Amino acid sequence: MLSNLSAQGGEVGRAPLPTIWWLGPIAAVIALFFAWRFYRQVMSKSEGTERMTEIAQAIREGAQAYLSRQYRVVAIVFAILFLIFLILSLLNLQNPIVPVAFLTGGFFSALCGYIGMKTATNASARTAHAAITSLNGGLQVALRAGAVMGLVVVGFALLDITAWFLILYYLAPAVITSSSSAFGFLVTGNPLVQITATMLSFGMGASTFALFARVGGGIFTKAADVGADLVGKVEAGIPEDDPRNPATVADNVGDNVGDVAGMGADLYESYAGSILATSALGVAAVAAGSATLFAGSSPSLAEMMDLQLRYLAAPIAVAAIGVLLSIVGVYLVRADENASQAQLISALGRGLYGSSIGIAILSLPILFILDLSNMWAIWISILAGLFVGVIIGKSTEYYTSHAYNPTQSIAEQASTSSATSLIEGLAVGMESTGAPVVAIVIGIAVSFYVMGGVTNVAMGLYGVGIAAVGMLSTLGFTLATDAYGPIADNAGGNAEMAGLGPEVRQRTDQLDAVGNTTAAIGKGFAIGSAALTSLALLAAYLEEIRLGLTLHGAAEELPIIEGRALAEWTMYDFMDHFQVNMLNPAVLIGVFLGSATAFYFSSMTMRAVGRAAGDMVEEVRRQFRETPGILEGTVRPDYARCVEISTVGAQREMIKPSVLAILMPVLVGVLFGVAGVLGLLTGGLTAGFALAVMMANSGGAWDNAKKYIEDGRYGGKGSPAHKAAVIGDTVGDPFKDTSGPSLNILIKLMSMVSIVFAALIVAINNGQGLVNLIFGG
Amino acid sequence: MLSNLSAQGGEVGRAPLPTIWWLGPIAAVIALFFAWRFYRQVMSKSEGTERMTEIAQAIREGAQAYLSRQYRVVAIVFAILFLIFLILSLLNLQNPIVPVAFLTGGFFSALCGYIGMKTATNASARTAHAAITSLNGGLQVALRAGAVMGLVVVGFALLDITAWFLILYYLAPAVITSSSSAFGFLVTGNPLVQITATMLSFGMGASTFALFARVGGGIFTKAADVGADLVGKVEAGIPEDDPRNPATVADNVGDNVGDVAGMGADLYESYAGSILATSALGVAAVAAGSATLFAGSSPSLAEMMDLQLRYLAAPIAVAAIGVLLSIVGVYLVRADENASQAQLISALGRGLYGSSIGIAILSLPILFILDLSNMWAIWISILAGLFVGVIIGKSTEYYTSHAYNPTQSIAEQASTSSATSLIEGLAVGMESTGAPVVAIVIGIAVSFYVMGGVTNVAMGLYGVGIAAVGMLSTLGFTLATDAYGPIADNAGGNAEMAGLGPEVRQRTDQLDAVGNTTAAIGKGFAIGSAALTSLALLAAYLEEIRLGLTLHGAAEELPIIEGRALAEWTMYDFMDHFQVNMLNPAVLIGVFLGSATAFYFSSMTMRAVGRAAGDMVEEVRRQFRETPGILEGTVRPDYARCVEISTVGAQREMIKPSVLAILMPVLVGVLFGVAGVLGLLTGGLTAGFALAVMMANSGGAWDNAKKYIEDGRYGGKGSPAHKAAVIGDTVGDPFKDTSGPSLNILIKLMSMVSIVFAALIVAINNGQGLVNLIFGG
């Protein structure tokens, strides 16, 4: 069938795909196969006692109820956006493929979240049960369950990308025969620039879904957590995860819908976005730099497309290798029956660093086979990306682990008062923005300049893009260690509620603590790749603008810049034409608004947690008051009511911030044009990045400062220092698990919205915006 | 004498200054005269009882000791910077006038701080004494003392600006006769562009001093405040300002050195910077837009200079009118013997809004007399500036006054727990960035586009600059109401410590509370004008680059852009040449680093407060422990030791953040060139603005939420809600009084450093940076 298509494609002048490109779909299938295999392995274990199954069932039902409700709300949003895109494409303001592709991106993102959540909720009781006999048993169940999530994310992303490419490159041209239709570009001589630019906008579906999953899940989990802690721990004085606390089940459900489903959707989008953006930049870079790349001779169409396809294949092949290494990584993790904490960390670290080193080594033959003239520079870019990820991860660990000075100083300040501990925690978070930004800056500079960005901007940005791809290539494994954390956490909850022996709880706590460290590194990769990908998306946005201007028929009105018409404009030609420079107030206005959007968005998500937690506090108090038997342990509390409250709260609260994220780029674009949009994205990216790092690290540090005190320092549990630290931890909850991670998506979604609405924006005053239209005369 | 100079100047081809320009020096003299007069009026009052004088004397001595110590440290820094500038100017990398002018700026800024502080420390006992008899009496003394500060700031700033201009325009050319000397530009045909660009760098002295004053003062005051509160109020349970608390005097000294001296130095810099930047842009705008402004005919040198001088005179004349209106404003404020709170606010509001309306009206005849063709557009820009100030002020009031919902909701959350109250406060602060940014954006857009910025960028930016000038023109009065707050606060402290009757304390509290509201509006003007001025400084920076490139002899190597050589390059030519656009990684790297610098700088100042406060806590505890008689009221505590601790702490802690602020622009410039610097400034401005607004408003809201509870809500003083609110208030202290206001200066100082080191940066790879040099080949 495919060779058939290939032949047909050949008839309309299609250069064949490099053989190595096919690693992409193959790796996708392998990833999905192993995900299925790991899922079967997890499900083959016993859930343990009747009580354990019962608790797990309650959490499963709660999570299921939440997700089905969330998916219903999101479905309405998707229906509305689909309609808007449809109308825009009928008005010739949108590529007609986008509405359909938008749905597939959202669908796969949602599917990843669903499968991840389903596996996680099935795995926690099984992890607790396995931990009864051994630590390694628990580790294996939890990690394999996490790996299901990791592998479906990378598998579906690669599948979606490669399938769409095959359709647009081979199948569609074979069906469409006229170049005058809306799909005309597919049958032109070299459609690669347009195909890759169009495919970029497919990310919008994934990021829209990810926003709702992250924001909704983040609100759910923290409303339950804060509510459970404030009434249960502080007021009633019962321990964490105590079955008498009505919000306990909701708290555990929250871990699954926020940390698992939300994170999976988030990283699906980063992963797909980095590959799509890099492919698009590779194709554009070859077009822009053909003089150098073909050593002065004018390439034929076939030669040109052949080279473009090889640059396009590089990120896909690197990602494919990463998938295989991730699977190997899962098998590498093993712990002795009585492994210490340090051994556990080194076991997971072996997988993490092993797969990263694997990418560093194996990407070299890939690049060699692709026979790219600047293969060494590309390789250095990939290394730069890995370096950024490791530095951000290590910095996160330094600032949030109680093995180091910053978190210890927060604990020390807690012994003075909660106020000084809070001041110190905020200061630690702000300080912790320094190292990641410097790492990002070095990563950008190295990958851009080593790729010769000074002479070919698109090629330089291709370097930045492939750095992001390199960093994310082992996502299958890093995501497994990320999802493993909440599973271990839930296993601990299950052990506590089911009344298993203290040694089981101790084992699950040990697994959980390791999860915190790996999660820190995983978060580093997530935010770092978001920053690099966003930069690549800025450039890719311009290809979208070119497409939009062409579609809009503005090509003839636009100036010829140094002999280049719109179709040949370089990236800097766009900058000159739209005056996307620092003295254009439209740009500065955009940067200002982008920065404020990050702050305003964070405020919305923080308050949403506050409001939803307030409802939860009242409900838990009501149950304790109206049913005294609950605290005596004779009556089972109404868990479902608490799940319901978090669910309703999350649905209600996730709408406004999401609308802000979608509206801002459109509004700024309509008023201030392309220049304003690029300013907005830059401001949102830079301020949002710093704010996200600050919130994540302040929150993490407060959490671990509390644990540090609980280990017996400054008076231990119940001391004034501990009470002070608990306040810090509670303030940190929405910081690190709602607002911080949501900013990640805000940044990416604003880029995606800009890309998707590019054609609309250029239709207004040729992309110069309404304000310019009014005052330009 | 002056006419003599004028005649000599005429000999080397000097167009005469517009008559109305002379309003500047005249207003400066009038301002200084009234400052002296108000000072005499304050000093003629009695300080009251012996105990009152004694307390006032202790505070005076503490403030004096702090300032003389601070000035010594700053003198060393100035000596080092002076040497660097001297060496740079000997290497032809710096204008030889800059080292001297740098010192005058610093000197006047320091003098303003000193006079303001001296008046304030003399005024508080007198205010308390006057308040024994009547409310209006106290109001008059405090406001007049504040007005001394307000008027010396505007007086010295106008004096410095106009005197230097006269020297450079008339006196220096008469002395220098050769155009080949380093000062050669002063005797060329039209030296106006170079003179105004050079004068801009004079602001560096003022901003360097302001940084130390703000950061050092901010650390001093909050270390004392937090230390006094934590041990005195929380641990020992004695009231605020109780004479038994050893840190009480230090706390009152802090109000004077931080809120009075620090703020005066800060706003001296904003005020001078906005006038200088606008003048420079006016001159540049006429040069760039001569075709339109002279209706197609080619102007003679005299015609050109005449028009440039009129644009240059406009901001000075507007500022001069503002000085006169400020003096009228002080006389307008009067309260009945038994005025209510609302009447007091409206009395001060009459002065505030009255002087703003006065500027709106009286700037029109000024512009008419100057006969500027776009006078209506300039007038609209001035109105836009006033609008921005009022909106930011009103928004600050809305978010921080307990008459409104946000602060009330923080108080309400305090009744649940301190954690939720802190979350709410942080969310309120983040939300509160929205309205000011939208106001700034509207202000920029209106003033830029109405001035025809689309066709003449420099003219558009002149509009933004004059908006800032309009906003700051009534600074003499707004600063008076700002400085009035700490004076009234100190008067309350004096009354408490001297054991005056409760009705006196009530009156001073009433005066203090009104001060909080006016201070909110004043802060709005300060931060808003900093944002607008920074934008104007970005543009002015380019004139500095042009000068530097010429000085460096690079003019011939640089490309002719559309027939324009370096001397005629437009602002956008610079943007094109240095590729200061959003796709140049050097720019993005700059924006990233600028944003992170704002966060990192805030972290440093927050921790500095934490550390210094920690020392204070220990000292107060030590005194209570070792001398039990203190708490019994039989032994007087060692006040001086606490002042010493705050002083030493502030000196120690202010160095590192200051070095960061000065080094970053130089480092980024050396590595990434002009493009990187403009990115850095933009990132610092936008993220710093949002962060500053957030911190100021979170802090203010927590403070007032506490007061709201103290008024009897949620259980009043001593209730759990009150304890929770006190924690918020303490966290907010460094937010609103150290880190937030310091960011204001960080933003401006980074611009100034960039301007002063412009010639050095262009000497490296012609301003393209080292990284480009290495990879550019």
Side-chain angles (χ1 to χ4, degrees):
Chain A
M1 167 80 182
L2 278 170
S3 67
N4 213 2
L5 287 178
S6 189
Q8 286 184 334
E11 285 167 22
V12 283
R14 291 289 178 270
L17 283 167
T19 316
I20 218 159
W21 180 91
W22 292 96
L23 277 180
I26 293 169
V29 172
I30 294 177
L32 294 174
F33 169 75
F34 272 89
W36 173 79
R37 201 182 143 92
F38 289 147
Y39 181 73
R40 299 303 314 158
Q41 283 179 2
V42 170
M43 294 306 285
S44 71
K45 310 282 178 194
S46 158
E47 278 207 308
T49 66
E50 197 182 322
R51 176 83 183 113
M52 287 169 77
T53 312
E54 193 190 337
I55 293 159
Q57 187 58 26
I59 292 167
R60 264 195 293 277
E61 281 169 12
Q64 196 80 40
Y66 170 75
L67 274 202
S68 61
R69 190 121 167 196
Q70 186 186 60
Y71 285 13
R72 272 207 302 275
V73 173
V74 176
I76 296 169
V77 174
F78 267 70
I80 294 170
L81 286 171
F82 178 78
L83 260 179
I84 292 175
F85 296 148
L86 206 63
I87 293 167
L88 284 177
S89 68
L90 290 177
L91 293 172
N92 210 20
L93 292 174
Q94 182 58 273
N95 192 306
I97 302 161
V98 168
V100 184
F102 169 75
L103 293 184
T104 68
F107 173 77
F108 280 123
S109 177
L111 191 58
C112 290
Y114 178 78
I115 294 174
M117 187 279 294
K118 192 172 166 64
T119 314
T121 53
N122 276 316
S124 48
R126 290 178 167 87
T127 301
H129 184 250
I132 294 175
T133 31
S134 82
L135 186 68
N136 186 47
L139 174 67
Q140 295 300 333
V141 175
L143 184 67
R144 273 170 172 62
V148 172
M149 167 78 160
L151 292 173
V152 294
V153 164
V154 297
F156 282 131
L158 277 178
L159 195 68
D160 193 33
I161 292 170
T162 52
W164 267 111
F165 185 78
L166 288 176
I167 290 171
L168 295 181
Y169 191 62
Y170 288 125
L171 183 60
V175 177
I176 300 158
T177 49
S178 154
S179 67
S180 67
S181 82
F183 298 94
F185 68 86
L186 293 174
V187 287
T188 60
N190 185 350
L192 282 172
V193 171
Q194 283 94 327
I195 288 180
T196 51
T198 304
M199 280 183 67
L200 205 58
S201 59
F202 297 4
M204 165 98 187
S207 26
T208 305
F209 183 80
L211 183 77
F212 284 98
R214 258 293 194 204
V215 175
I219 295 169
F220 183 107
T221 180
K222 288 304 124 175
D225 193 3
V226 172
D229 284 0
L230 282 180
V231 187
K233 277 207 269 189
V234 181
E235 290 179 18
I238 54 176
E240 175 113 25
D241 290 332
D242 192 290
R244 287 171 295 174
N245 193 332
T248 294
V249 168
D251 188 5
N252 281 283
V253 168
D255 293 340
N256 290 296
V257 300
D259 298 349
V260 178
M263 189 176 51
D266 180 358
L267 284 167
Y268 176 90
E269 198 278 318
S270 282
Y271 185 76
S274 68
I275 295 172
L276 290 170
T278 309
S279 303
L281 282 166
V283 170
V286 172
S290 57
T292 323
L293 290 164
F294 294 99
S297 68
S298 189
S300 71
L301 178 63
E303 282 171 341
M304 173 70 100
M305 286 180 76
D306 173 64
L307 189 60
Q308 287 179 320
L309 285 171
R310 284 187 279 139
Y311 276 98
L312 177 149
I316 291 171
V318 169
I321 295 294
V323 169
L324 306 180
L325 285 167
S326 297
I327 296 168
V328 174
V330 174
Y331 282 104
L332 274 183
V333 177
R334 202 159 298 175
D336 288 337
E337 283 313 300
N338 286 307
S340 71
Q341 186 77 0
Q343 285 170 316
L344 267 182
I345 289 183
S346 94
L348 280 173
R350 209 164 37 234
L352 263 173
Y353 292 113
S355 52
S356 290
I357 292 169
I359 278 295
I361 295 169
L362 292 180
S363 56
L364 206 50
I366 293 284
L367 297 172
F368 181 78
I369 294 169
L370 282 170
D371 191 22
L372 300 172
S373 60
N374 51 1
M375 64 168 278
W376 288 104
I378 298 177
W379 189 63
I380 291 172
S381 300
I382 293 174
L383 296 188
L386 292 170
F387 162 84
V388 174
V390 170
I391 293 294
I392 299 182
K394 282 282 164 194
S395 149
T396 310
E397 198 186 329
Y398 172 74
Y399 282 107
T400 60
S401 157
H402 55 55
Y404 301 100
N405 193 41
T407 299
Q408 287 172 6
S409 74
I410 294 174
E412 191 194 327
Q413 289 292 347
S415 69
T416 305
S417 81
S418 55
T420 46
S421 169
L422 283 157
I423 292 175
E424 184 70 17
L426 289 164
V428 163
M430 287 175 178
E431 184 188 313
S432 74
T433 60
V437 164
V438 170
I440 286 283
V441 159
I442 293 174
I444 291 172
V446 167
S447 52
F448 181 85
Y449 289 109
V450 85
M451 291 289 286
V454 173
T455 45
N456 182 351
V457 187
M459 191 56 94
L461 293 168
Y462 179 78
V464 177
I466 204 139
V469 171
M471 193 195 288
L472 283 174
S473 57
T474 56
L475 186 70
F477 188 79
T478 42
L479 201 47
T481 62
D482 252 7
Y484 150 98
I487 294 169
D489 191 5
N490 258 252
N494 192 293
E496 185 83 29
M497 283 189 274
L500 300 185
E503 77 287 355
V504 181
R505 175 76 207 210
Q506 201 202 324
R507 286 197 189 116
T508 58
D509 274 357
Q510 218 178 326
L511 293 174
D512 186 15
V514 175
N516 284 341
T517 305
T518 55
I521 300 170
K523 275 183 191 168
F525 277 70
I527 186 87
S529 64
L532 294 183
T533 305
S534 296
L535 181 48
L537 286 177
L538 284 188
Y541 172 64
L542 294 182
E543 290 303 327
E544 219 49 52
I545 292 294
R546 195 200 307 267
L547 211 63
L549 285 170
T550 315
L551 216 66
H552 181 52
E556 299 91 62
E557 302 169 33
L558 295 170
I560 307 294
I561 301 177
E562 294 174 24
R564 296 181 293 270
L566 174 65
E568 286 101 39
W569 276 6
T570 66
M571 302 248 160
Y572 281 160
D573 290 341
F574 279 96
M575 296 293 104
D576 290 356
H577 176 70
F578 288 107
Q579 289 172 333
V580 191
N581 63 61
M582 284 302 183
L583 276 190
N584 183 351
V587 174
L588 273 158
I589 285 171
V591 182
F592 257 120
L593 289 173
S595 169
T597 303
F599 280 85
Y600 202 89
F601 177 86
S602 298
S603 163
M604 283 172 141
T605 48
M606 299 250 299
R607 291 191 129 169
V609 170
R611 271 191 298 261
D615 294 350
M616 186 64 81
V617 165
E618 272 177 37
E619 171 61 19
V620 176
R621 281 185 184 153
R622 186 194 64 79
Q623 291 199 23
F624 282 161
R625 193 177 56 238
E626 294 179 3
T627 322
I630 292 177
L631 271 176
E632 294 156 12
T634 54
V635 182
R636 179 153 303 171
D638 186 354
Y639 299 127
R641 182 79 197 101
C642 289
V643 172
E644 172 79 8
I645 282 178
S646 250
T647 303
V648 172
Q651 303 314 316
R652 185 186 60 213
E653 302 288 352
M654 75 182 183
I655 298 295
K656 271 200 245 170
S658 308
V659 168
L660 178 76
I662 295 174
L663 270 194
M664 279 305 285
V666 179
L667 199 68
V668 170
V670 168
L671 288 176
F672 297 104
V674 172
V677 169
L678 283 166
L680 178 80
L681 298 182
T682 307
L685 169 61
T686 52
F689 180 82
L691 199 54
V693 170
M694 175 205 153
M695 292 180 127
N697 290 351
S698 284
W702 276 319
D703 189 354
N704 283 325
K706 185 195 67 177
K707 288 188 177 140
Y708 187 69
I709 293 173
E710 285 172 352
D711 287 352
R713 276 93 171 188
Y714 302 110
K717 269 195 181 174
S719 66
H722 186 241
K723 289 213 177 85
V726 166
I727 294 176
D729 181 36
T730 311
V731 173
D733 270 340
F735 260 43
K736 73 177 196 300
D737 292 320
T738 310
S739 302
S742 297
L743 275 171
N744 210 343
I745 311 198
L746 172 77
I747 293 168
K748 292 181 291 177
L749 180 60
M750 290 209 300
S751 306
M752 278 296 165
V753 171
S754 306
I755 284 172
V756 170
F757 285 95
L760 173 70
I761 299 309
V762 296
I764 296 164
N765 194 15
N766 278 344
Q768 302 281 6
L770 275 185
V771 170
N772 194 294
L773 183 68
I774 296 165
F775 291 98
Chain B
M1 167 83 183
L2 277 170
S3 65
N4 212 4
L5 287 177
S6 189
Q8 286 183 334
E11 283 165 27
V12 284
R14 292 288 179 270
L17 283 167
T19 316
I20 218 159
W21 180 91
W22 293 96
L23 277 180
I26 293 170
V29 172
I30 293 177
L32 294 174
F33 169 76
F34 272 90
W36 174 80
R37 201 183 143 89
F38 288 147
Y39 181 73
R40 301 301 317 157
Q41 284 180 1
V42 170
M43 294 307 285
S44 70
K45 309 283 178 193
S46 159
E47 278 208 307
T49 66
E50 197 182 324
R51 176 84 185 113
M52 288 170 77
T53 311
E54 191 189 340
I55 294 160
Q57 188 58 25
I59 291 168
R60 263 195 294 276
E61 281 168 17
Q64 196 79 38
Y66 171 75
L67 273 202
S68 62
R69 191 125 170 190
Q70 186 184 62
Y71 284 14
R72 272 207 301 278
V73 174
V74 176
I76 296 169
V77 175
F78 267 72
I80 295 170
L81 286 171
F82 178 79
L83 260 180
I84 293 174
F85 294 148
L86 206 63
I87 293 167
L88 286 177
S89 68
L90 290 177
L91 294 172
N92 208 19
L93 291 174
Q94 182 60 270
N95 193 306
I97 302 161
V98 168
V100 184
F102 169 73
L103 293 183
T104 68
F107 174 77
F108 279 123
S109 177
L111 191 60
C112 290
Y114 179 78
I115 294 176
M117 187 277 293
K118 193 171 166 63
T119 314
T121 53
N122 277 315
S124 49
R126 292 178 165 88
T127 302
H129 184 250
I132 294 176
T133 31
S134 80
L135 187 69
N136 187 45
L139 174 67
Q140 294 299 332
V141 175
L143 185 66
R144 271 168 175 62
V148 173
M149 167 79 162
L151 291 174
V152 293
V153 164
V154 297
F156 282 130
L158 277 179
L159 196 66
D160 194 34
I161 291 170
T162 52
W164 266 110
F165 186 77
L166 287 178
I167 291 170
L168 296 181
Y169 192 60
Y170 287 125
L171 184 59
V175 177
I176 300 159
T177 50
S178 152
S179 67
S180 67
S181 83
F183 298 93
F185 69 86
L186 293 174
V187 286
T188 59
N190 184 352
L192 282 172
V193 169
Q194 283 95 325
I195 289 180
T196 50
T198 305
M199 283 185 64
L200 204 58
S201 59
F202 297 3
M204 166 98 186
S207 18
T208 306
F209 183 81
L211 183 76
F212 284 98
R214 257 297 194 203
V215 174
I219 295 169
F220 185 108
T221 180
K222 288 303 124 177
D225 192 6
V226 172
D229 284 1
L230 282 180
V231 187
K233 276 206 271 190
V234 180
E235 290 179 18
I238 54 177
E240 176 114 24
D241 290 328
D242 191 289
R244 288 170 294 173
N245 192 332
T248 293
V249 169
D251 188 7
N252 281 283
V253 169
D255 293 340
N256 290 295
V257 301
D259 298 350
V260 177
M263 191 176 50
D266 179 0
L267 284 168
Y268 175 90
E269 198 280 318
S270 283
Y271 185 76
S274 68
I275 295 172
L276 289 170
T278 309
S279 303
L281 283 167
V283 171
V286 172
S290 57
T292 323
L293 291 163
F294 294 98
S297 68
S298 189
S300 71
L301 178 64
E303 283 172 339
M304 173 69 101
M305 286 178 76
D306 173 64
L307 189 60
Q308 286 178 321
L309 285 170
R310 284 188 276 140
Y311 275 99
L312 177 152
I316 291 171
V318 169
I321 295 293
V323 169
L324 307 179
L325 285 167
S326 296
I327 296 168
V328 174
V330 174
Y331 283 104
L332 274 183
V333 176
R334 202 160 297 176
D336 288 337
E337 285 311 301
N338 286 306
S340 70
Q341 186 77 359
Q343 285 169 316
L344 269 182
I345 289 183
S346 96
L348 281 172
R350 206 162 39 232
L352 262 173
Y353 293 111
S355 52
S356 291
I357 292 168
I359 278 295
I361 295 169
L362 292 179
S363 55
L364 208 49
I366 293 284
L367 298 172
F368 182 77
I369 294 168
L370 282 169
D371 191 22
L372 300 171
S373 59
N374 51 1
M375 63 167 279
W376 288 105
I378 299 176
W379 189 64
I380 290 172
S381 299
I382 294 174
L383 295 188
L386 292 170
F387 161 85
V388 173
V390 169
I391 293 294
I392 298 182
K394 282 282 164 197
S395 148
T396 311
E397 199 187 328
Y398 171 74
Y399 281 107
T400 61
S401 157
H402 55 54
Y404 301 100
N405 193 42
T407 299
Q408 287 173 4
S409 73
I410 294 174
E412 191 193 327
Q413 290 291 347
S415 69
T416 304
S417 82
S418 55
T420 47
S421 169
L422 282 156
I423 292 175
E424 184 70 16
L426 289 163
V428 163
M430 289 175 176
E431 185 187 313
S432 75
T433 60
V437 165
V438 170
I440 287 282
V441 159
I442 293 174
I444 292 172
V446 167
S447 51
F448 180 86
Y449 290 107
V450 86
M451 290 289 286
V454 173
T455 46
N456 182 350
V457 187
M459 191 55 96
L461 293 167
Y462 179 79
V464 176
I466 205 137
V469 171
M471 193 195 289
L472 282 174
S473 57
T474 57
L475 184 69
F477 187 80
T478 41
L479 201 47
T481 62
D482 252 6
Y484 150 98
I487 294 169
D489 192 4
N490 259 253
N494 193 293
E496 184 83 30
M497 284 189 273
L500 301 185
E503 77 288 356
V504 182
R505 175 78 209 210
Q506 201 203 324
R507 286 200 189 113
T508 58
D509 275 358
Q510 218 178 328
L511 292 174
D512 186 17
V514 174
N516 284 341
T517 305
T518 55
I521 299 170
K523 277 182 190 168
F525 276 70
I527 186 90
S529 65
L532 293 183
T533 305
S534 296
L535 182 47
L537 285 177
L538 284 188
Y541 172 64
L542 294 181
E543 291 303 326
E544 218 52 51
I545 292 293
R546 193 200 307 268
L547 210 60
L549 285 169
T550 315
L551 216 63
H552 180 52
E556 298 90 64
E557 303 169 32
L558 295 170
I560 307 293
I561 302 176
E562 293 175 24
R564 295 181 293 269
L566 174 64
E568 285 100 41
W569 277 5
T570 66
M571 303 248 161
Y572 282 161
D573 289 342
F574 279 95
M575 296 293 103
D576 289 356
H577 175 70
F578 288 107
Q579 289 172 334
V580 192
N581 63 60
M582 285 303 185
L583 276 191
N584 182 351
V587 174
L588 274 159
I589 284 171
V591 182
F592 257 120
L593 289 174
S595 167
T597 304
F599 280 84
Y600 203 88
F601 178 86
S602 298
S603 162
M604 283 173 142
T605 48
M606 298 251 298
R607 291 187 129 173
V609 170
R611 271 191 298 262
D615 294 349
M616 186 65 82
V617 165
E618 273 178 35
E619 171 61 19
V620 176
R621 282 187 185 151
R622 186 194 64 79
Q623 290 200 23
F624 282 161
R625 195 176 54 236
E626 295 179 2
T627 323
I630 293 177
L631 271 176
E632 292 155 13
T634 53
V635 183
R636 180 156 300 172
D638 186 355
Y639 297 129
R641 182 82 197 100
C642 290
V643 171
E644 173 79 9
I645 283 178
S646 250
T647 302
V648 172
Q651 303 314 316
R652 185 186 62 215
E653 303 287 352
M654 76 182 181
I655 300 293
K656 270 199 245 171
S658 307
V659 168
L660 178 76
I662 295 175
L663 270 194
M664 279 305 285
V666 179
L667 198 70
V668 170
V670 168
L671 289 176
F672 298 104
V674 172
V677 170
L678 283 166
L680 179 80
L681 298 181
T682 306
L685 169 61
T686 51
F689 180 83
L691 199 53
V693 170
M694 175 205 154
M695 291 180 127
N697 290 350
S698 284
W702 277 319
D703 189 353
N704 282 325
K706 184 196 68 175
K707 289 188 176 142
Y708 187 69
I709 292 174
E710 284 173 352
D711 287 351
R713 277 92 170 188
Y714 303 110
K717 269 194 182 177
S719 66
H722 185 240
K723 288 210 178 89
V726 167
I727 294 175
D729 181 35
T730 312
V731 173
D733 269 339
F735 260 43
K736 75 176 194 302
D737 292 320
T738 311
S739 303
S742 297
L743 276 171
N744 210 342
I745 311 201
L746 173 79
I747 293 168
K748 291 182 291 174
L749 180 61
M750 290 210 301
S751 306
M752 278 296 165
V753 172
S754 307
I755 284 173
V756 170
F757 285 94
L760 173 69
I761 299 311
V762 297
I764 297 164
N765 195 15
N766 279 343
Q768 303 280 5
L770 275 185
V771 170
N772 194 293
L773 183 67
I774 296 165
F775 292 98

